[in-house]
Amino acid sequence: GDSVTQMEGPVTLSEEAFLTINCTYTATGYPSLFWYVQYPGEGLQLLLKATKADDKGSNKGFEATYRKETTSFHLEKGSVQVSDSAVYFCALSDRGDMRFGAGTRLTVKP
Amino acid sequence: ETGVTQSPTHLIKTRGQQVTLRCSSQSGHNTVSWYQQALGQGPQFIFQYYREEENGRGNFPPRFSGLQFPNYSSELNVNALELDDSALYLCASSLAGGDSYNEQFFGPGTRLTVL
C-alpha cells in the first residue's frame, strides 16, 4: 500500500542553519503530498502541500518540491529559528486516508 | 471561520471500558477523518466519514466505530479498551471535491490514557 518514509531524528541545529528533512514515498496512484508540523501538546498544522509532480509548496520560509522521478518531497529551510522547534511529518493522500511518516523532531538552539 | 474542535481534551479510562470522543468539523467541511497517534509515532488512519457514511477504514478492529451527524460533527467510539489504545486521537475535517479533498485540517486531539 501507499507509504511514506522520512528521515529519522532527532535533528539539532543552531539558529540560522540550513535545514533538510528527507521524505520519500511509495504510491500506486498520483497522491498529494504534505508537510505537517506539530508543536508540543498540540495537533497537526499544515505547513505546505503539493498536488502534482514538479509543484513546489512553500510557507514561512519552508519549501518542498514534488519529485515524481525520485518519489521524494524533501523539506528545506534556508535559515531556521528557535521557534521552528517542533515535530515535522511528511504525508501523502490519494482521495481518502492520509498516510504519515514517523515524524522528525527538530530542535533549534540559539 | 471556526476550526476543528475536539472534546474532551484528556480522558482516563480503565481496561474493558468504553469511550466516546467528539469532533466538530471546520465550518463548511463535509468529511471527517479520525487518526490514532501513539507516543513518538505518526498518526495512523482509523476511518473517514462522508455525508454520514463510512468512506474508508484503516487497519483497526471493529471495536473502533464511528458516527457522523447531519451537521457533519462526528464521534469515535472505542469498546473494550485495551492498554495499547492509549494515544492521542486526532480528528481532521476536509471538503470533498477536487484538490481540496486531500487537504485535511486537524483538531488539537484528545489524549486517552487506559489504565
Side-chain angles (χ1 to χ4, degrees), chain B residues 6-22 34-39 46 60 63-64 76-90 108-115:
Chain B
Q6 292 184 243
S7 62
T9 306
H10 296 89
L11 202 52
I12 299 175
K13 292 285 189 178
T14 56
R15 262 188 316 175
Q17 286 189 310
Q18 178 266 342
V19 69
T20 297
L21 310 182
R22 295 178 175 82
W34 285 92
Y35 296 83
Q36 180 195 67
Q37 186 180 17
L39 199 61
I46 303 175
F60 280 80
R63 59 188 185 85
F64 285 78
L76 164 65
N77 299 290
V78 187
N79 294 323
L81 284 167
E82 300 176 0
L83 296 180
D84 284 350
D85 295 334
S86 295
L88 181 68
Y89 288 84
L90 296 167
T110 293
R111 173 72 62 189
L112 172 65
T113 302
V114 182
L115 302 176

mmCIF file of all heavy atoms in Angstrom, chain B residues 6-22 34-39 46 60 63-64 76-90 108-115:
data_model
loop_
_atom_site.group_PDB
_atom_site.id
_atom_site.type_symbol
_atom_site.label_atom_id
_atom_site.label_comp_id
_atom_site.label_asym_id
_atom_site.label_seq_id
_atom_site.Cartn_x
_atom_site.Cartn_y
_atom_site.Cartn_z
ATOM 1 N N GLN B 6 -12.277 19.434 19.359
ATOM 2 C CA GLN B 6 -12.447 18.077 19.872
ATOM 3 C C GLN B 6 -12.693 18.130 21.381
ATOM 4 O O GLN B 6 -12.182 19.007 22.079
ATOM 5 C CB GLN B 6 -11.192 17.225 19.615
ATOM 6 C CG GLN B 6 -10.956 16.943 18.143
ATOM 7 C CD GLN B 6 -9.772 16.015 17.916
ATOM 8 O OE1 GLN B 6 -8.785 16.386 17.314
ATOM 9 N NE2 GLN B 6 -9.902 14.782 18.415
ATOM 10 N N SER B 7 -13.472 17.154 21.851
ATOM 11 C CA SER B 7 -13.693 17.047 23.296
ATOM 12 C C SER B 7 -13.801 15.584 23.696
ATOM 13 O O SER B 7 -14.225 14.743 22.888
ATOM 14 C CB SER B 7 -14.976 17.797 23.693
ATOM 15 O OG SER B 7 -16.096 17.219 23.061
ATOM 16 N N PRO B 8 -13.383 15.249 24.913
ATOM 17 C CA PRO B 8 -12.664 16.119 25.848
ATOM 18 C C PRO B 8 -11.203 16.268 25.447
ATOM 19 O O PRO B 8 -10.761 15.656 24.487
ATOM 20 C CB PRO B 8 -12.800 15.355 27.164
ATOM 21 C CG PRO B 8 -12.814 13.916 26.742
ATOM 22 C CD PRO B 8 -13.553 13.876 25.429
ATOM 23 N N THR B 9 -10.475 17.057 26.212
ATOM 24 C CA THR B 9 -9.055 17.246 25.933
ATOM 25 C C THR B 9 -8.253 16.057 26.413
ATOM 26 O O THR B 9 -7.332 15.590 25.734
ATOM 27 C CB THR B 9 -8.548 18.511 26.638
ATOM 28 O OG1 THR B 9 -9.365 19.606 26.257
ATOM 29 C CG2 THR B 9 -7.119 18.793 26.262
ATOM 30 N N HIS B 10 -8.594 15.603 27.617
ATOM 31 C CA HIS B 10 -7.921 14.456 28.221
ATOM 32 C C HIS B 10 -8.979 13.518 28.798
ATOM 33 O O HIS B 10 -10.055 13.956 29.195
ATOM 34 C CB HIS B 10 -6.987 14.879 29.367
ATOM 35 C CG HIS B 10 -5.847 15.735 28.937
ATOM 36 N ND1 HIS B 10 -5.938 17.109 28.893
ATOM 37 C CD2 HIS B 10 -4.600 15.420 28.523
ATOM 38 C CE1 HIS B 10 -4.776 17.600 28.486
ATOM 39 N NE2 HIS B 10 -3.955 16.602 28.256
ATOM 40 N N LEU B 11 -8.614 12.236 28.852
ATOM 41 C CA LEU B 11 -9.551 11.236 29.353
ATOM 42 C C LEU B 11 -8.761 10.073 29.921
ATOM 43 O O LEU B 11 -7.793 9.620 29.293
ATOM 44 C CB LEU B 11 -10.420 10.755 28.187
ATOM 45 C CG LEU B 11 -11.770 10.126 28.407
ATOM 46 C CD1 LEU B 11 -12.647 10.989 29.285
ATOM 47 C CD2 LEU B 11 -12.443 9.875 27.069
ATOM 48 N N ILE B 12 -9.181 9.585 31.080
ATOM 49 C CA ILE B 12 -8.554 8.398 31.664
ATOM 50 C C ILE B 12 -9.620 7.337 31.850
ATOM 51 O O ILE B 12 -10.673 7.598 32.439
ATOM 52 C CB ILE B 12 -7.884 8.724 33.019
ATOM 53 C CG1 ILE B 12 -6.792 9.775 32.830
ATOM 54 C CG2 ILE B 12 -7.289 7.457 33.643
ATOM 55 C CD1 ILE B 12 -6.166 10.249 34.123
ATOM 56 N N LYS B 13 -9.354 6.148 31.326
ATOM 57 C CA LYS B 13 -10.281 5.023 31.416
ATOM 58 C C LYS B 13 -9.511 3.792 31.879
ATOM 59 O O LYS B 13 -8.271 3.771 31.881
ATOM 60 C CB LYS B 13 -10.910 4.740 30.049
ATOM 61 C CG LYS B 13 -11.854 5.820 29.554
ATOM 62 C CD LYS B 13 -13.167 5.776 30.284
ATOM 63 C CE LYS B 13 -14.193 6.685 29.671
ATOM 64 N NZ LYS B 13 -15.505 6.595 30.365
ATOM 65 N N THR B 14 -10.259 2.761 32.259
ATOM 66 C CA THR B 14 -9.620 1.502 32.621
ATOM 67 C C THR B 14 -9.918 0.450 31.552
ATOM 68 O O THR B 14 -10.882 0.577 30.777
ATOM 69 C CB THR B 14 -10.105 1.002 33.988
ATOM 70 O OG1 THR B 14 -11.523 0.891 33.966
ATOM 71 C CG2 THR B 14 -9.680 1.963 35.095
ATOM 72 N N ARG B 15 -9.103 -0.570 31.540
ATOM 73 C CA ARG B 15 -9.247 -1.658 30.560
ATOM 74 C C ARG B 15 -10.659 -2.219 30.573
ATOM 75 O O ARG B 15 -11.232 -2.433 31.649
ATOM 76 C CB ARG B 15 -8.263 -2.778 30.877
ATOM 77 C CG ARG B 15 -7.005 -2.749 30.074
ATOM 78 C CD ARG B 15 -6.167 -3.987 30.291
ATOM 79 N NE ARG B 15 -6.079 -4.377 31.697
ATOM 80 C CZ ARG B 15 -5.477 -5.476 32.115
ATOM 81 N NH1 ARG B 15 -4.934 -6.288 31.232
ATOM 82 N NH2 ARG B 15 -5.424 -5.767 33.388
ATOM 83 N N GLY B 16 -11.210 -2.480 29.389
ATOM 84 C CA GLY B 16 -12.536 -3.060 29.278
ATOM 85 C C GLY B 16 -13.657 -2.033 29.174
ATOM 86 O O GLY B 16 -14.765 -2.375 28.739
ATOM 87 N N GLN B 17 -13.376 -0.783 29.554
ATOM 88 C CA GLN B 17 -14.405 0.242 29.455
ATOM 89 C C GLN B 17 -14.608 0.692 28.020
ATOM 90 O O GLN B 17 -13.872 0.302 27.099
ATOM 91 C CB GLN B 17 -14.030 1.449 30.328
ATOM 92 C CG GLN B 17 -14.207 1.232 31.818
ATOM 93 C CD GLN B 17 -14.030 2.521 32.596
ATOM 94 O OE1 GLN B 17 -13.048 3.253 32.421
ATOM 95 N NE2 GLN B 17 -14.977 2.803 33.479
ATOM 96 N N GLN B 18 -15.622 1.527 27.837
ATOM 97 C CA GLN B 18 -15.940 2.083 26.536
ATOM 98 C C GLN B 18 -15.732 3.597 26.605
ATOM 99 O O GLN B 18 -15.875 4.205 27.662
ATOM 100 C CB GLN B 18 -17.396 1.743 26.187
ATOM 101 C CG GLN B 18 -17.894 2.300 24.861
ATOM 102 C CD GLN B 18 -18.597 3.646 25.000
ATOM 103 O OE1 GLN B 18 -19.005 4.031 26.083
ATOM 104 N NE2 GLN B 18 -18.701 4.364 23.908
ATOM 105 N N VAL B 19 -15.387 4.199 25.457
ATOM 106 C CA VAL B 19 -15.163 5.637 25.433
ATOM 107 C C VAL B 19 -15.760 6.237 24.159
ATOM 108 O O VAL B 19 -15.809 5.567 23.110
ATOM 109 C CB VAL B 19 -13.649 5.946 25.526
ATOM 110 C CG1 VAL B 19 -12.920 5.517 24.257
ATOM 111 C CG2 VAL B 19 -13.412 7.423 25.779
ATOM 112 N N THR B 20 -16.219 7.472 24.271
ATOM 113 C CA THR B 20 -16.721 8.225 23.114
ATOM 114 C C THR B 20 -15.985 9.553 23.031
ATOM 115 O O THR B 20 -15.957 10.313 24.003
ATOM 116 C CB THR B 20 -18.235 8.487 23.230
ATOM 117 O OG1 THR B 20 -18.934 7.246 23.227
ATOM 118 C CG2 THR B 20 -18.712 9.336 22.056
ATOM 119 N N LEU B 21 -15.398 9.801 21.892
ATOM 120 C CA LEU B 21 -14.696 11.067 21.635
ATOM 121 C C LEU B 21 -15.485 11.839 20.591
ATOM 122 O O LEU B 21 -16.068 11.246 19.678
ATOM 123 C CB LEU B 21 -13.276 10.794 21.121
ATOM 124 C CG LEU B 21 -12.424 9.803 21.925
ATOM 125 C CD1 LEU B 21 -11.039 9.694 21.311
ATOM 126 C CD2 LEU B 21 -12.354 10.210 23.381
ATOM 127 N N ARG B 22 -15.457 13.172 20.716
ATOM 128 C CA ARG B 22 -16.284 14.002 19.850
ATOM 129 C C ARG B 22 -15.463 15.006 19.056
ATOM 130 O O ARG B 22 -14.408 15.461 19.504
ATOM 131 C CB ARG B 22 -17.355 14.713 20.675
ATOM 132 C CG ARG B 22 -18.357 13.743 21.294
ATOM 133 C CD ARG B 22 -19.397 14.423 22.151
ATOM 134 N NE ARG B 22 -20.382 13.445 22.605
ATOM 135 C CZ ARG B 22 -20.232 12.628 23.642
ATOM 136 N NH1 ARG B 22 -19.115 12.678 24.358
ATOM 137 N NH2 ARG B 22 -21.185 11.770 23.969
ATOM 138 N N TRP B 34 -10.589 10.245 11.297
ATOM 139 C CA TRP B 34 -10.045 10.028 12.639
ATOM 140 C C TRP B 34 -8.704 9.305 12.530
ATOM 141 O O TRP B 34 -8.541 8.382 11.714
ATOM 142 C CB TRP B 34 -11.006 9.190 13.480
ATOM 143 C CG TRP B 34 -12.214 9.932 13.966
ATOM 144 C CD1 TRP B 34 -13.433 10.030 13.340
ATOM 145 C CD2 TRP B 34 -12.325 10.676 15.178
ATOM 146 N NE1 TRP B 34 -14.292 10.790 14.094
ATOM 147 C CE2 TRP B 34 -13.640 11.193 15.231
ATOM 148 C CE3 TRP B 34 -11.462 10.953 16.238
ATOM 149 C CZ2 TRP B 34 -14.100 11.969 16.291
ATOM 150 C CZ3 TRP B 34 -11.922 11.722 17.301
ATOM 151 C CH2 TRP B 34 -13.229 12.223 17.315
ATOM 152 N N TYR B 35 -7.778 9.715 13.403
ATOM 153 C CA TYR B 35 -6.444 9.136 13.431
ATOM 154 C C TYR B 35 -6.052 8.821 14.871
ATOM 155 O O TYR B 35 -6.440 9.534 15.801
ATOM 156 C CB TYR B 35 -5.412 10.105 12.852
ATOM 157 C CG TYR B 35 -5.618 10.418 11.391
ATOM 158 C CD1 TYR B 35 -6.524 11.382 10.975
ATOM 159 C CD2 TYR B 35 -4.904 9.735 10.419
ATOM 160 C CE1 TYR B 35 -6.721 11.660 9.641
ATOM 161 C CE2 TYR B 35 -5.082 10.009 9.068
ATOM 162 C CZ TYR B 35 -5.989 10.975 8.692
ATOM 163 O OH TYR B 35 -6.188 11.237 7.365
ATOM 164 N N GLN B 36 -5.235 7.787 15.018
ATOM 165 C CA GLN B 36 -4.648 7.448 16.317
ATOM 166 C C GLN B 36 -3.150 7.734 16.247
ATOM 167 O O GLN B 36 -2.478 7.255 15.337
ATOM 168 C CB GLN B 36 -4.865 5.970 16.630
ATOM 169 C CG GLN B 36 -4.291 5.539 17.978
ATOM 170 C CD GLN B 36 -4.209 4.021 18.090
ATOM 171 O OE1 GLN B 36 -3.441 3.373 17.379
ATOM 172 N NE2 GLN B 36 -4.992 3.458 18.991
ATOM 173 N N GLN B 37 -2.655 8.526 17.194
ATOM 174 C CA GLN B 37 -1.234 8.825 17.231
ATOM 175 C C GLN B 37 -0.642 8.328 18.543
ATOM 176 O O GLN B 37 -0.843 8.943 19.596
ATOM 177 C CB GLN B 37 -0.973 10.325 17.066
ATOM 178 C CG GLN B 37 0.509 10.650 16.966
ATOM 179 C CD GLN B 37 0.802 12.142 16.802
ATOM 180 O OE1 GLN B 37 -0.051 12.991 17.058
ATOM 181 N NE2 GLN B 37 1.996 12.467 16.350
ATOM 182 N N ALA B 38 0.065 7.209 18.473
ATOM 183 C CA ALA B 38 0.756 6.695 19.655
ATOM 184 C C ALA B 38 1.976 7.571 19.930
ATOM 185 O O ALA B 38 2.480 8.254 19.034
ATOM 186 C CB ALA B 38 1.168 5.250 19.427
ATOM 187 N N LEU B 39 2.444 7.523 21.149
ATOM 188 C CA LEU B 39 3.555 8.381 21.568
ATOM 189 C C LEU B 39 4.785 8.150 20.691
ATOM 190 O O LEU B 39 5.215 7.010 20.486
ATOM 191 C CB LEU B 39 3.880 8.091 23.033
ATOM 192 C CG LEU B 39 4.685 9.158 23.761
ATOM 193 C CD1 LEU B 39 3.916 10.475 23.780
ATOM 194 C CD2 LEU B 39 5.009 8.710 25.179
ATOM 195 N N ILE B 46 -7.736 5.758 11.087
ATOM 196 C CA ILE B 46 -8.733 4.827 11.632
ATOM 197 C C ILE B 46 -9.867 4.662 10.634
ATOM 198 O O ILE B 46 -10.138 3.561 10.166
ATOM 199 C CB ILE B 46 -9.271 5.316 12.989
ATOM 200 C CG1 ILE B 46 -8.129 5.515 13.983
ATOM 201 C CG2 ILE B 46 -10.305 4.317 13.535
ATOM 202 C CD1 ILE B 46 -8.572 6.116 15.305
ATOM 203 N N PHE B 60 -7.888 -1.134 11.733
ATOM 204 C CA PHE B 60 -8.318 -1.108 13.132
ATOM 205 C C PHE B 60 -9.480 -2.081 13.306
ATOM 206 O O PHE B 60 -10.304 -2.232 12.408
ATOM 207 C CB PHE B 60 -8.752 0.316 13.534
ATOM 208 C CG PHE B 60 -7.579 1.212 13.847
ATOM 209 C CD1 PHE B 60 -6.860 1.810 12.833
ATOM 210 C CD2 PHE B 60 -7.193 1.427 15.148
ATOM 211 C CE1 PHE B 60 -5.771 2.620 13.110
ATOM 212 C CE2 PHE B 60 -6.104 2.240 15.451
ATOM 213 C CZ PHE B 60 -5.396 2.830 14.413
ATOM 214 N N ARG B 63 -14.064 -2.932 17.096
ATOM 215 C CA ARG B 63 -14.426 -2.248 18.338
ATOM 216 C C ARG B 63 -14.174 -0.731 18.245
ATOM 217 O O ARG B 63 -14.595 0.010 19.127
ATOM 218 C CB ARG B 63 -13.684 -2.879 19.535
ATOM 219 C CG ARG B 63 -12.189 -2.842 19.455
ATOM 220 C CD ARG B 63 -11.544 -3.666 20.575
ATOM 221 N NE ARG B 63 -10.105 -3.502 20.537
ATOM 222 C CZ ARG B 63 -9.479 -2.488 21.119
ATOM 223 N NH1 ARG B 63 -10.168 -1.600 21.792
ATOM 224 N NH2 ARG B 63 -8.153 -2.383 21.047
ATOM 225 N N PHE B 64 -13.511 -0.319 17.176
ATOM 226 C CA PHE B 64 -13.411 1.108 16.847
ATOM 227 C C PHE B 64 -14.552 1.407 15.866
ATOM 228 O O PHE B 64 -14.591 0.845 14.757
ATOM 229 C CB PHE B 64 -12.079 1.442 16.183
ATOM 230 C CG PHE B 64 -10.910 1.471 17.123
ATOM 231 C CD1 PHE B 64 -10.326 0.298 17.547
ATOM 232 C CD2 PHE B 64 -10.389 2.670 17.570
ATOM 233 C CE1 PHE B 64 -9.239 0.308 18.427
ATOM 234 C CE2 PHE B 64 -9.304 2.710 18.433
ATOM 235 C CZ PHE B 64 -8.734 1.517 18.865
ATOM 236 N N LEU B 76 -16.136 9.186 17.725
ATOM 237 C CA LEU B 76 -15.349 7.967 17.649
ATOM 238 C C LEU B 76 -15.650 7.186 18.916
ATOM 239 O O LEU B 76 -15.517 7.726 20.020
ATOM 240 C CB LEU B 76 -13.856 8.291 17.572
ATOM 241 C CG LEU B 76 -12.884 7.149 17.869
ATOM 242 C CD1 LEU B 76 -12.999 6.062 16.811
ATOM 243 C CD2 LEU B 76 -11.450 7.663 17.936
ATOM 244 N N ASN B 77 -16.081 5.938 18.766
ATOM 245 C CA ASN B 77 -16.367 5.076 19.903
ATOM 246 C C ASN B 77 -15.383 3.923 19.919
ATOM 247 O O ASN B 77 -15.104 3.327 18.877
ATOM 248 C CB ASN B 77 -17.793 4.508 19.802
ATOM 249 C CG ASN B 77 -18.836 5.604 19.813
ATOM 250 O OD1 ASN B 77 -19.049 6.245 20.824
ATOM 251 N ND2 ASN B 77 -19.463 5.842 18.675
ATOM 252 N N VAL B 78 -14.858 3.640 21.090
ATOM 253 C CA VAL B 78 -13.967 2.503 21.243
ATOM 254 C C VAL B 78 -14.497 1.641 22.384
ATOM 255 O O VAL B 78 -14.655 2.116 23.515
ATOM 256 C CB VAL B 78 -12.518 2.919 21.552
ATOM 257 C CG1 VAL B 78 -11.601 1.695 21.523
ATOM 258 C CG2 VAL B 78 -12.026 3.969 20.554
ATOM 259 N N ASN B 79 -14.806 0.392 22.069
ATOM 260 C CA ASN B 79 -15.296 -0.557 23.072
ATOM 261 C C ASN B 79 -14.158 -1.422 23.599
ATOM 262 O O ASN B 79 -13.108 -1.553 22.953
ATOM 263 C CB ASN B 79 -16.356 -1.468 22.450
ATOM 264 C CG ASN B 79 -17.604 -0.710 22.068
ATOM 265 O OD1 ASN B 79 -18.012 0.212 22.776
ATOM 266 N ND2 ASN B 79 -18.200 -1.064 20.951
ATOM 267 N N ALA B 80 -14.379 -2.024 24.762
ATOM 268 C CA ALA B 80 -13.427 -3.000 25.331
ATOM 269 C C ALA B 80 -12.002 -2.463 25.272
ATOM 270 O O ALA B 80 -11.113 -3.072 24.668
ATOM 271 C CB ALA B 80 -13.550 -4.325 24.588
ATOM 272 N N LEU B 81 -11.784 -1.317 25.889
ATOM 273 C CA LEU B 81 -10.496 -0.651 25.820
ATOM 274 C C LEU B 81 -9.340 -1.550 26.259
ATOM 275 O O LEU B 81 -9.458 -2.320 27.219
ATOM 276 C CB LEU B 81 -10.520 0.613 26.688
ATOM 277 C CG LEU B 81 -11.268 1.799 26.095
ATOM 278 C CD1 LEU B 81 -11.506 2.869 27.154
ATOM 279 C CD2 LEU B 81 -10.508 2.366 24.905
ATOM 280 N N GLU B 82 -8.243 -1.412 25.533
ATOM 281 C CA GLU B 82 -7.003 -2.124 25.856
ATOM 282 C C GLU B 82 -5.922 -1.106 26.188
ATOM 283 O O GLU B 82 -6.008 0.064 25.792
ATOM 284 C CB GLU B 82 -6.582 -2.982 24.669
ATOM 285 C CG GLU B 82 -7.620 -4.021 24.271
ATOM 286 C CD GLU B 82 -7.220 -4.810 23.033
ATOM 287 O OE1 GLU B 82 -6.133 -4.545 22.480
ATOM 288 O OE2 GLU B 82 -8.006 -5.685 22.619
ATOM 289 N N LEU B 83 -4.886 -1.566 26.868
ATOM 290 C CA LEU B 83 -3.804 -0.654 27.259
ATOM 291 C C LEU B 83 -3.193 0.034 26.034
ATOM 292 O O LEU B 83 -2.854 1.223 26.082
ATOM 293 C CB LEU B 83 -2.720 -1.404 28.025
ATOM 294 C CG LEU B 83 -3.130 -1.999 29.362
ATOM 295 C CD1 LEU B 83 -1.947 -2.722 30.003
ATOM 296 C CD2 LEU B 83 -3.675 -0.940 30.306
ATOM 297 N N ASP B 84 -3.077 -0.707 24.930
ATOM 298 C CA ASP B 84 -2.473 -0.166 23.709
ATOM 299 C C ASP B 84 -3.326 0.894 23.027
ATOM 300 O O ASP B 84 -2.872 1.522 22.069
ATOM 301 C CB ASP B 84 -2.193 -1.291 22.707
ATOM 302 C CG ASP B 84 -0.974 -2.105 23.101
ATOM 303 O OD1 ASP B 84 -0.252 -1.664 24.030
ATOM 304 O OD2 ASP B 84 -0.748 -3.161 22.508
ATOM 305 N N ASP B 85 -4.538 1.085 23.502
ATOM 306 C CA ASP B 85 -5.388 2.146 22.944
ATOM 307 C C ASP B 85 -4.987 3.512 23.478
ATOM 308 O O ASP B 85 -5.492 4.537 23.000
ATOM 309 C CB ASP B 85 -6.854 1.890 23.266
ATOM 310 C CG ASP B 85 -7.386 0.624 22.602
ATOM 311 O OD1 ASP B 85 -6.835 0.224 21.555
ATOM 312 O OD2 ASP B 85 -8.341 0.034 23.143
ATOM 313 N N SER B 86 -4.116 3.552 24.452
ATOM 314 C CA SER B 86 -3.628 4.829 24.979
ATOM 315 C C SER B 86 -2.898 5.578 23.866
ATOM 316 O O SER B 86 -1.925 5.070 23.295
ATOM 317 C CB SER B 86 -2.669 4.594 26.149
ATOM 318 O OG SER B 86 -3.343 4.011 27.235
ATOM 319 N N ALA B 87 -3.379 6.773 23.562
ATOM 320 C CA ALA B 87 -2.822 7.520 22.427
ATOM 321 C C ALA B 87 -3.488 8.884 22.361
ATOM 322 O O ALA B 87 -4.433 9.173 23.105
ATOM 323 C CB ALA B 87 -3.055 6.776 21.110
ATOM 324 N N LEU B 88 -3.003 9.705 21.430
ATOM 325 C CA LEU B 88 -3.671 10.956 21.069
ATOM 326 C C LEU B 88 -4.569 10.653 19.882
ATOM 327 O O LEU B 88 -4.113 10.099 18.870
ATOM 328 C CB LEU B 88 -2.635 12.018 20.708
ATOM 329 C CG LEU B 88 -3.164 13.401 20.316
ATOM 330 C CD1 LEU B 88 -3.794 14.099 21.513
ATOM 331 C CD2 LEU B 88 -2.042 14.262 19.731
ATOM 332 N N TYR B 89 -5.846 10.980 20.003
ATOM 333 C CA TYR B 89 -6.795 10.743 18.917
ATOM 334 C C TYR B 89 -7.089 12.072 18.232
ATOM 335 O O TYR B 89 -7.563 13.021 18.863
ATOM 336 C CB TYR B 89 -8.069 10.082 19.440
ATOM 337 C CG TYR B 89 -7.808 8.640 19.816
ATOM 338 C CD1 TYR B 89 -7.287 8.325 21.067
ATOM 339 C CD2 TYR B 89 -8.011 7.624 18.896
ATOM 340 C CE1 TYR B 89 -6.993 7.008 21.393
ATOM 341 C CE2 TYR B 89 -7.721 6.309 19.220
ATOM 342 C CZ TYR B 89 -7.206 6.009 20.470
ATOM 343 O OH TYR B 89 -6.897 4.711 20.784
ATOM 344 N N LEU B 90 -6.803 12.090 16.946
ATOM 345 C CA LEU B 90 -6.932 13.313 16.164
ATOM 346 C C LEU B 90 -8.098 13.194 15.196
ATOM 347 O O LEU B 90 -8.284 12.169 14.544
ATOM 348 C CB LEU B 90 -5.646 13.559 15.369
ATOM 349 C CG LEU B 90 -4.388 13.829 16.199
ATOM 350 C CD1 LEU B 90 -3.150 13.738 15.327
ATOM 351 C CD2 LEU B 90 -4.467 15.206 16.843
ATOM 352 N N PRO B 108 -7.073 19.709 17.882
ATOM 353 C CA PRO B 108 -5.978 19.604 18.848
ATOM 354 C C PRO B 108 -5.808 18.205 19.430
ATOM 355 O O PRO B 108 -4.778 17.910 20.032
ATOM 356 C CB PRO B 108 -6.368 20.598 19.926
ATOM 357 C CG PRO B 108 -7.852 20.662 19.830
ATOM 358 C CD PRO B 108 -8.192 20.493 18.393
ATOM 359 N N GLY B 109 -6.818 17.347 19.263
ATOM 360 C CA GLY B 109 -6.687 15.982 19.735
ATOM 361 C C GLY B 109 -7.278 15.747 21.119
ATOM 362 O O GLY B 109 -7.474 16.679 21.907
ATOM 363 N N THR B 110 -7.571 14.482 21.380
ATOM 364 C CA THR B 110 -7.980 14.020 22.717
ATOM 365 C C THR B 110 -6.937 13.017 23.178
ATOM 366 O O THR B 110 -6.673 12.031 22.496
ATOM 367 C CB THR B 110 -9.358 13.344 22.695
ATOM 368 O OG1 THR B 110 -10.350 14.312 22.375
ATOM 369 C CG2 THR B 110 -9.666 12.704 24.052
ATOM 370 N N ARG B 111 -6.356 13.268 24.344
ATOM 371 C CA ARG B 111 -5.355 12.355 24.904
ATOM 372 C C ARG B 111 -6.069 11.326 25.754
ATOM 373 O O ARG B 111 -6.642 11.663 26.789
ATOM 374 C CB ARG B 111 -4.348 13.135 25.754
ATOM 375 C CG ARG B 111 -3.364 12.279 26.533
ATOM 376 C CD ARG B 111 -2.319 11.633 25.662
ATOM 377 N NE ARG B 111 -1.488 12.614 24.968
ATOM 378 C CZ ARG B 111 -0.610 12.276 24.018
ATOM 379 N NH1 ARG B 111 -0.464 11.026 23.660
ATOM 380 N NH2 ARG B 111 0.119 13.214 23.447
ATOM 381 N N LEU B 112 -6.076 10.051 25.319
ATOM 382 C CA LEU B 112 -6.728 8.961 26.040
ATOM 383 C C LEU B 112 -5.667 8.118 26.744
ATOM 384 O O LEU B 112 -4.697 7.679 26.109
ATOM 385 C CB LEU B 112 -7.526 8.081 25.082
ATOM 386 C CG LEU B 112 -8.098 6.796 25.658
ATOM 387 C CD1 LEU B 112 -9.151 7.102 26.728
ATOM 388 C CD2 LEU B 112 -8.704 5.923 24.563
ATOM 389 N N THR B 113 -5.853 7.912 28.023
ATOM 390 C CA THR B 113 -4.982 7.037 28.804
ATOM 391 C C THR B 113 -5.818 5.882 29.319
ATOM 392 O O THR B 113 -6.865 6.096 29.951
ATOM 393 C CB THR B 113 -4.353 7.779 29.985
ATOM 394 O OG1 THR B 113 -3.608 8.897 29.486
ATOM 395 C CG2 THR B 113 -3.418 6.875 30.779
ATOM 396 N N VAL B 114 -5.369 4.661 29.037
ATOM 397 C CA VAL B 114 -6.064 3.471 29.512
ATOM 398 C C VAL B 114 -5.199 2.801 30.573
ATOM 399 O O VAL B 114 -4.037 2.452 30.322
ATOM 400 C CB VAL B 114 -6.345 2.492 28.349
ATOM 401 C CG1 VAL B 114 -7.113 1.280 28.870
ATOM 402 C CG2 VAL B 114 -7.138 3.178 27.248
ATOM 403 N N LEU B 115 -5.778 2.648 31.762
ATOM 404 C CA LEU B 115 -5.018 2.066 32.878
ATOM 405 C C LEU B 115 -5.419 0.620 33.158
ATOM 406 O O LEU B 115 -6.559 0.224 32.825
ATOM 407 C CB LEU B 115 -5.243 2.904 34.139
ATOM 408 C CG LEU B 115 -4.844 4.392 34.016
ATOM 409 C CD1 LEU B 115 -5.216 5.112 35.304
ATOM 410 C CD2 LEU B 115 -3.361 4.520 33.726
#
